[in-house]
Amino acid sequence: MPARFGGGWLRGNRMKKFCVVGCMTAILLAAGGMRAQQAAELPALKQEAAAEVDKMQLLTQQMVDEIFSFSELGFQEHETSKYVTGILEKNGFHVERGVAGVPTAWVATYGSGKPVIAFITDIDCIPRASQKPGVAYHDPIVEGAPGHGEGHNSGMAVNVTAALVLKKLMDEHHIGGTIKLIPGVAEELLGTKAFYVRAGMFKDVDIVLGAHVESEFSTSYGTGNGEWSGLVSVQYFFHGKAAHAAGAPWEGRSALDAVELMDTGWDFRREHLRPAQRSHRVIINGGDQPNVVPSEAAVWYYFRELDYTHIKDLYDLGNMMADSAAKMTGTTVDHKLVGSAWPPFLNKVIAETQQKNIETVGMPKWSEADQTLAKALQKEIGAKVEGLKEKIDPLAEPAKKPTGGGSDDIGDISWNVPMVYLMYPANIPNLPGHSWANGVAMATPIAHKGSTAGAKVQAMTALDFFLQPQLVQQAWDYFRDVQTKEVHYEPFLSADDKPAVEMNKEKMEKFAPQLKKYYYDPGRYKTYLEQLGIQYPTVKTQP
Ligand SMILES: [Zn+2]
């Protein structure tokens, strides 16, 4: 169970230094008074935070551009983690590396006592999404290489900027509490956050403020717009017997046959599953060459549904089909869970607080060049041409009937501690997602300005909770009395499941040397666009 904020709450950082034995009660009263006084100053403090974020625009832009240039796939975010933790350590944060058995995962901490506010955001990228920023058509930096075709390169710029500003304000105004930063490693594989929870990383955390790139500026609560599913990601490895495929096929047992029969079985069964399910697969090993009966073959499934019970049902069904396919083909099968995610459920109290900050900060001011890039890209890919968003929508009620859709492993965190997920406006609307097109804006002024706006909201929302203990209490009341009243978290992980940290290793080893030539050098170039010699925006001329 996550800890509720308790006795440590009033202990400010600086207060501790001046305390002598016996003075605790007086100090607590004084600190309580201090926090009340600070709460009165909250609007001014938030304004100061926003002004400080503005002063840090150069570093924010550099982080966006640098992480974009690293382009690292899930579990292989070595350069990204080294770079970000370097900045945090230089600024006085304590960093613990290799947490939860994941080499590229870490926790950076500053401050002490309650409340503990954790910032989380993803850092991994997408296979084959390499793309020159600021160019409104497909033009990879390195052909076939991974790239930030999801925009995760901007998240740490948001959270680190916010954390550095908070640290400054906490020091200057003697604000007590603890900041933690955590990276979403291998989010695209739904690969780590359930392991983070299992490792107890959120046990002492009071509030989690997640951030994710979007084309809009928004937050949500409950099941949000209903377009979220949970999932399990499972790889099935079939083992058969090799033989000459023409000379003695009767001696062989084909593992590939089992993969194909499992797929056929699943596709027939699909008609009889709930419409809310989403399931898809890739064959990760289809054998070596046609004249050898494949002794090894493997298929990788994502099974998605709206809640734990239905996801578990799909998982059991998948396992049954794999066993049946093995029986039919005289092969054997074993499976490995490589990712899992509960559907996210976000906290109403934090969302309402955050929404006010979103409205105070407002949308970034887009330039004509930003809009030109956005419209040219929308036209290029055949999407609705409407440029960048200019307006903020009010906080919406959660969807009455969730339909399901994509997944995010923050879901597991959201069922263990009150959490929201800020969507900050750093990308172009109407894009397909997980593709080169989603990388186009991600090292341009669109991403830079959107990240600055996001950092302001993160810092301001953290101040709301640092200075108003009753809000933390209310967030936990909602978590306990509404969210988890009837639904209780059960992990999909078994005790034996381990993070799939070897995934993407070969791919990254292949591409990292080529990508390295294009790593951003902020010492020599003001922006990554400048380094690549890209005119902003580069769009196709009209016919
Ligand atoms: Zn994402």
Side-chain angles (χ1 to χ4, degrees):
M1 278 299 281
R4 212 167 181 145
F5 68 88
W9 172 263
L10 297 168
R11 235 170 290 136
N13 231 352
R14 300 286 169 98
M15 292 314 255
K16 248 200 264 180
K17 286 183 193 162
F18 303 123
C19 185
V20 288
V21 180
C23 73
M24 208 53 207
T25 313
I27 290 293
L28 286 174
L29 286 171
M34 190 172 179
R35 207 176 279 270
Q37 195 189 328
Q38 283 166 340
E41 289 163 8
L42 193 53
L45 277 171
K46 288 205 230 173
Q47 242 180 18
E48 195 183 335
E52 289 295 334
V53 169
D54 273 331
K55 283 189 210 159
M56 287 183 59
Q57 280 181 66
L58 179 64
L59 180 65
T60 308
Q61 169 249 308
Q62 286 174 351
M63 286 190 273
V64 167
D65 288 2
E66 188 80 79
I67 300 169
F68 183 91
S69 77
F70 292 148
S71 297
E72 291 178 304
L73 290 167
F75 288 118
Q76 307 304 324
E77 308 96 333
H78 298 285
E79 294 292 338
T80 305
S81 284
K82 196 168 85 186
Y83 170 71
V84 177
T85 53
I87 293 171
L88 289 165
E89 273 179 331
K90 212 176 79 192
N91 283 281
F93 282 71
H94 170 77
V95 177
E96 192 191 342
R97 295 182 170 79
V99 294
V102 179
T104 51
W106 42 270
V107 180
T109 308
Y110 185 79
S112 63
K114 292 278 187 178
V116 179
I117 298 184
F119 294 89
I120 190 156
T121 193
D122 304 323
I123 56 173
D124 58 327
C125 78
I126 301 280
R128 297 178 193 276
S130 179
Q131 169 66 25
K132 287 183 186 158
V135 177
Y137 46 85
H138 190 203
D139 189 5
I141 298 174
V142 174
E143 184 71 49
H148 273 288
E150 164 82 359
H152 286 175
N153 61 301
S154 56
M156 274 297 163
V158 170
N159 282 357
V160 173
T161 303
L164 297 184
V165 164
L166 282 168
K167 181 203 169 223
K168 189 168 188 278
L169 295 186
M170 286 163 87
D171 289 350
E172 286 175 10
H173 298 275
H174 313 311
I175 299 167
T178 306
I179 312 172
K180 281 185 186 228
L181 286 99
I182 300 168
V185 165
E187 189 280 323
E188 297 301 346
L189 300 170
L190 296 308
T192 54
K193 297 191 189 92
F195 292 99
Y196 289 178
V197 169
R198 192 174 75 179
M201 283 165 64
F202 299 93
K203 267 201 179 124
D204 68 338
V205 174
D206 298 294
I207 298 286
V208 176
L209 300 176
H212 195 281
V213 58
E214 244 298 342
S215 56
E216 60 185 32
F217 212 176
S218 68
T219 189
S220 60
Y221 66 93
T223 51
N225 62 7
E227 293 173 7
W228 256 328
S229 302
L231 67 64
V232 287
S233 156
V234 195
Q235 295 181 340
Y236 294 94
F237 299 91
F238 290 91
H239 315 287
K241 203 171 134 206
H244 193 301
W250 49 86
E251 293 291 338
R253 295 290 178 270
S254 170
L256 179 60
D257 289 354
V259 164
E260 292 189 83
L261 283 167
M262 180 182 175
D263 284 353
T264 305
W266 189 267
D267 282 342
F268 272 99
R269 188 62 174 263
R270 200 187 290 276
E271 185 191 350
H272 310 289
L273 297 174
R274 299 197 332 153
Q277 73 84 29
R278 303 265 201 296
S279 49
H280 17 259
R281 50 97 179 87
V282 291
I283 294 175
I284 48 178
N285 178 8
D288 297 301
Q289 59 185 57
N291 64 345
V292 179
V293 172
S295 59
E296 296 294 327
V299 61
W300 181 8
Y301 269 88
Y302 278 16
F303 300 118
R304 301 191 209 240
E305 251 283 7
L306 293 182
D307 55 46
Y308 174 83
T309 312
H310 289 100
I311 298 163
K312 189 77 175 42
D313 287 348
L314 289 186
Y315 188 14
D316 291 343
L317 185 60
N319 293 344
M320 191 270 282
M321 288 214 175
D323 288 340
S324 306
K327 265 187 201 152
M328 278 191 276
T329 52
T331 60
T332 59
V333 64
D334 46 59
H335 70 266
K336 182 174 159 54
L337 184 88
V338 292
S340 67
W342 268 58
F345 193 104
L346 303 166
N347 191 279
K348 189 177 182 185
V349 175
I350 317 178
E352 284 171 348
T353 306
Q354 186 165 62
Q355 177 72 21
K356 287 183 201 141
N357 294 325
I358 291 172
E359 285 165 13
T360 304
V361 171
M363 283 298 274
K365 301 269 173 288
W366 308 121
S367 68
E368 218 178 291
D370 300 334
Q371 290 288 11
T372 303
L373 179 76
K375 285 178 186 161
L377 179 65
Q378 288 164 341
K379 183 162 183 267
E380 171 72 14
I381 62 166
K384 193 171 176 198
V385 179
E386 52 185 4
L388 294 159
K389 290 201 175 132
E390 312 258 9
K391 281 203 189 85
I392 290 165
D393 292 326
L395 183 63
E397 295 251 321
K400 294 267 180 308
K401 282 196 178 155
T403 56
S407 309
D408 193 310
D409 58 359
I410 57 125
D412 287 64
I413 300 172
S414 75
W415 284 96
N416 282 276
V417 57
M419 161 167 197
V420 287
Y421 214 16
L422 171 69
M423 300 288 142
Y424 55 90
N427 210 344
I428 296 166
N430 309 338
L431 305 183
H434 291 183
S435 81
W436 64 267
N438 289 65
V440 166
M442 290 318 303
T444 73
I446 296 171
H448 303 148
K449 286 185 262 192
S451 301
T452 290
K456 287 179 187 174
V457 171
Q458 287 290 75
M460 290 159 82
T461 309
L463 284 172
D464 276 317
F465 286 89
F466 273 131
L467 297 177
Q468 301 174 100
Q470 72 278 14
L471 264 192
V472 180
Q473 181 66 56
Q474 286 164 20
W476 275 99
D477 289 346
Y478 178 83
F479 180 84
R480 292 209 167 93
D481 302 341
V482 180
Q483 179 181 351
T484 61
K485 197 174 170 210
E486 274 153 20
V487 182
H488 299 285
Y489 178 70
E490 284 176 79
F492 289 108
L493 305 181
S494 72
D496 305 328
D497 289 319
K498 288 191 183 70
V501 298
E502 293 299 309
M503 286 179 83
N504 289 324
K505 200 162 181 229
E506 275 174 38
K507 272 187 208 160
M508 250 2 264
E509 276 170 4
K510 179 179 168 199
F511 286 111
Q514 297 172 64
L515 289 164
K516 209 168 190 156
K517 295 177 210 155
Y518 300 97
Y519 284 177
Y520 171 48
D521 180 359
R524 290 179 64 195
Y525 300 98
K526 214 170 152 274
T527 64
Y528 194 42
L529 286 171
E530 189 184 307
Q531 177 169 331
L532 296 178
I534 293 168
Q535 200 204 320
Y536 182 73
T538 296
V539 302
K540 281 184 181 167
T541 45
Q542 301 301 325

